[in-house]
Amino acid sequence: MKQAHCIYQDDTHRWLAIARDPTKPGYIIDTNEYVVVHGEEALLCDPGGIEIFPAVFSALSAECDPTRLAGIFASHQDPDIISSLALWLEFKPDLKCYTSWLWQSFLPHFGGQDSTFITIPDPGMTIRLGGLELQAIPAHYLHSSGNFHLYDPKAKILFSGDVGAALLPSDHNDLYVEDFSRHIRHAEGFHKRWMGSDRAKRDWCERVSRLDIDMMVPQHGAIYRGADVQRFINWFAALEVGVLRG
Amino acid sequence: MNAPERNLNFTSTNRGELARIVLVNEEIKAIVATAFRINLMALNAIFLAKRAGNAALGFGVLSNELRRFAQDLTRHMASLRDMTSGSVGSVTGVVQQQRNSAILAAAIRLSGDGVPGVKDARKRGATRLAEQQAKLRTLDMRLRAAVEETQQLVELGGVLARSAKIEAAYGGGFSPALMQVSTDFAEVIAQIKRSLEVLGKERLVKD
């Protein structure tokens, strides 16, 4: 069963990573969900799909009061990102969902009303959470055409959605990247195939290189921390993307 | 709350409910198509009676009655069809709510009842489900009443078809043609009767 791991804490400001579910059926891709807690409010990043909702809800409830959830951040529109939306709204009907304006009329197919969605313009925006200012960082075409990452300047954590994702073998249960060279092999095929635009990739690498990042937390695979963050950015900048093979 | 408490096996039951309403809908569509055929058959019978002249005066009166019957039947079936297409939406709504409630119940089971907000969420879900099920029950009652009314109308159609057969015997040289038409009527009406019997046994909601 999934568990919530506290990856950052400073007083009432916390980041929880809900990762690794050994009981999940193998045909469903493994996902990481992240919860940013600040004071009395919490924001859930990429809550995942319908089938894993019980596991995510239970893991979240073990570490944080779920009634404090003020919003959901959906990096993009994929089913493994946000198809559980209706279930979170079933629990808390007044939840807000932050997502690219591009998906404003698509995501309601998963659930919610007009008032549920707070759309993010292409250049990004500030998302306020109990006095904390989080930044929605543009990551368009990586891989979705309307795509955002979330940066917490206080915790120096970048939630990077599918960028940095690695499809790890089932026996790799480390929460953090321990050996970058070994780990990145599991990320290479994914990034080559899923990241469709070289220009978008270079833009993103430049943009995030200017941020002060201690941890980069992707939606699949292990968390990059310390020097591995810049290692990843350099590796990604050099990678040929948008190719079927090679 | 109606959500199953043990696991997520609710899907097969709910698929059954959806399958049932789809079956009802298809049965009604079949009867509508048959009713349209009767309408054309009645028109042909009227022309045939006119051609037969004095020999088929009685048959002519009956074929006019059969045409009226076919028109009434088409109206009945159109209203039944509206009712069932509304029911498909309602059943789907119930299925969706049951699925959401069941997944939420599974999440609550894993987290424990002590998690804040879960009682309210359960209550909201149960209220929504009860409202949707009540709506479905009302639709079911209306559908059953409408089917019974249509069955009575079809009984009348059966009587008209039998009388047309008798009148066909007095049709002189046109007798074989008139007999064929009235036999076709009787067969189609029997087919509608059978479909309505199937429909009468179906329920949108379990008792």
Side-chain angles (χ1 to χ4, degrees):
Chain A
M1 191 55 68
K2 269 179 179 284
Q3 280 192 334
H5 308 267
C6 184
I7 57 170
Y8 170 87
Q9 176 147 25
D10 180 12
D11 195 19
T12 62
H13 184 190
R14 287 192 298 159
W15 271 73
L16 304 172
I18 300 172
R20 305 290 181 278
D21 184 1
T23 62
K24 172 195 69 54
Y27 55 83
I28 300 178
I29 190 169
D30 202 19
T31 55
N32 303 328
E33 294 74 32
Y34 299 94
V35 189
V36 191
V37 185
H38 191 81
E40 293 298 307
E41 289 191 356
L43 180 79
L44 176 60
C45 303
D46 285 2
I50 294 166
E51 291 302 320
I52 61 154
F53 172 81
V56 176
F57 184 87
S58 147
L60 183 145
S61 303
E63 286 295 323
C64 133
D65 175 352
T67 59
R68 287 190 191 176
L69 269 184
I72 282 172
F73 175 81
S75 63
H76 59 289
Q77 83 293 4
D78 277 353
D80 64 323
I81 302 291
I82 188 67
S83 69
S84 61
L85 178 62
L87 294 161
W88 291 100
L89 291 169
E90 182 82 14
F91 174 71
K92 203 160 185 272
D94 59 345
L95 268 182
K96 298 293 176 200
C97 177
Y98 296 88
T99 194
S100 163
W101 67 272
L102 207 59
W103 306 122
Q104 179 173 18
S105 56
F106 289 76
L107 288 197
H109 282 277
F110 287 140
Q113 301 167 339
D114 194 26
S115 60
T116 306
F117 298 95
I118 296 178
T119 55
I120 309 175
D122 282 342
M125 66 182 255
T126 298
I127 295 172
R128 289 184 177 80
L129 181 75
L132 177 72
E133 291 197 342
L134 299 161
Q135 291 166 20
I137 306 287
H140 307 306
Y141 297 103
L142 299 173
H143 65 92
S144 165
S145 46
N147 207 122
F148 285 98
H149 295 164
L150 191 72
Y151 178 60
D152 177 348
K154 189 165 181 285
K156 298 180 182 173
I157 294 176
L158 175 70
F159 167 61
S160 59
D162 279 329
V163 174
L167 305 178
L168 299 174
S170 55
D171 57 341
H172 281 44
N173 289 318
D174 291 336
L175 185 58
Y176 298 100
V177 173
E178 300 297 349
D179 180 338
F180 184 83
S181 325
R182 278 182 59 197
H183 174 84
I184 211 66
R185 282 185 235 145
H186 302 294
E188 190 173 331
F190 179 88
H191 286 78
K192 279 183 171 173
R193 178 66 197 254
W194 282 93
M195 305 301 157
S197 163
D198 193 59
R199 185 175 155 187
K201 179 200 73 175
R202 277 186 277 114
D203 283 352
W204 181 86
C205 289
E206 279 172 28
R207 193 173 300 120
V208 299
S209 290
R210 291 195 294 269
L211 302 174
D212 187 6
I213 304 170
D214 279 349
M215 259 188 262
M216 192 181 103
V217 297
Q219 199 232 346
H220 308 281
I223 294 170
Y224 303 82
R225 53 183 174 172
D228 281 342
V229 175
Q230 193 56 49
R231 265 189 208 112
F232 174 80
I233 296 169
N234 295 342
W235 170 85
F236 190 37
L239 187 73
E240 184 190 12
V241 298
V243 289
L244 274 175
R245 288 184 189 88
Chain B
M1 185 180 241
N2 289 352
E5 285 299 315
R6 282 195 59 237
N7 53 37
L8 301 181
N9 286 340
F10 56 92
T11 43
S12 57
T13 317
N14 292 341
R15 233 180 258 138
E17 283 173 22
L18 261 184
R20 200 162 53 240
I21 183 66
V22 166
L23 195 79
V24 169
N25 208 21
E26 289 305 309
E27 202 66 56
I28 287 175
K29 276 157 70 182
I31 304 175
V32 170
T34 313
F36 183 69
R37 232 176 95 204
I38 277 204
N39 210 354
L40 292 177
M41 283 167 67
L43 258 177
N44 282 337
I46 290 168
F47 291 136
L48 191 62
K50 283 208 166 137
R51 274 173 57 204
N54 284 341
L57 281 178
F59 189 90
V61 171
L62 281 166
S63 53
N64 273 318
E65 287 303 314
L66 278 166
R67 174 105 207 278
R68 253 193 294 278
F69 156 75
Q71 286 166 340
D72 286 347
L73 185 63
T74 306
R75 263 195 302 277
H76 272 248
M77 297 320 293
S79 122
L80 273 177
R81 195 173 47 182
D82 286 349
M83 257 182 247
T84 44
S85 44
S87 308
V88 172
S90 300
V91 170
T92 311
V94 168
V95 168
Q96 190 181 25
Q97 184 60 48
Q98 280 177 335
R99 177 168 164 77
N100 283 356
S101 298
I103 297 176
L104 190 63
I108 292 167
R109 216 168 33 249
L110 286 173
S111 320
D113 266 330
V115 175
V118 295
K119 277 185 187 159
D120 284 345
R122 269 190 156 155
K123 208 170 148 188
R124 270 196 310 274
T127 307
R128 263 201 299 273
L129 192 59
E131 281 169 3
Q132 284 168 326
Q133 281 173 330
K135 198 174 149 194
L136 203 57
R137 244 174 254 122
T138 310
L139 267 169
D140 189 47
M141 278 167 64
R142 279 179 57 206
L143 187 71
R144 280 155 75 171
V147 167
E148 274 171 29
E149 214 178 299
T150 312
Q151 277 174 326
Q152 283 169 14
L153 179 72
V154 171
E155 282 298 330
L156 172 71
V159 171
L160 289 173
R162 278 197 296 278
S163 304
K165 247 183 179 178
I166 296 165
E167 285 298 327
Y170 301 104
F174 281 91
S175 189
L178 294 173
M179 189 61 82
Q180 183 59 52
V181 169
S182 48
T183 303
D184 288 349
F185 265 124
E187 278 172 9
V188 170
I189 286 168
Q191 193 186 325
I192 294 177
K193 225 171 146 180
R194 279 194 298 274
S195 293
L196 283 171
E197 272 165 21
V198 173
L199 214 53
K201 285 176 194 155
E202 290 296 340
R203 295 287 176 273
L204 300 181
V205 280
K206 286 181 196 133
D207 292 326

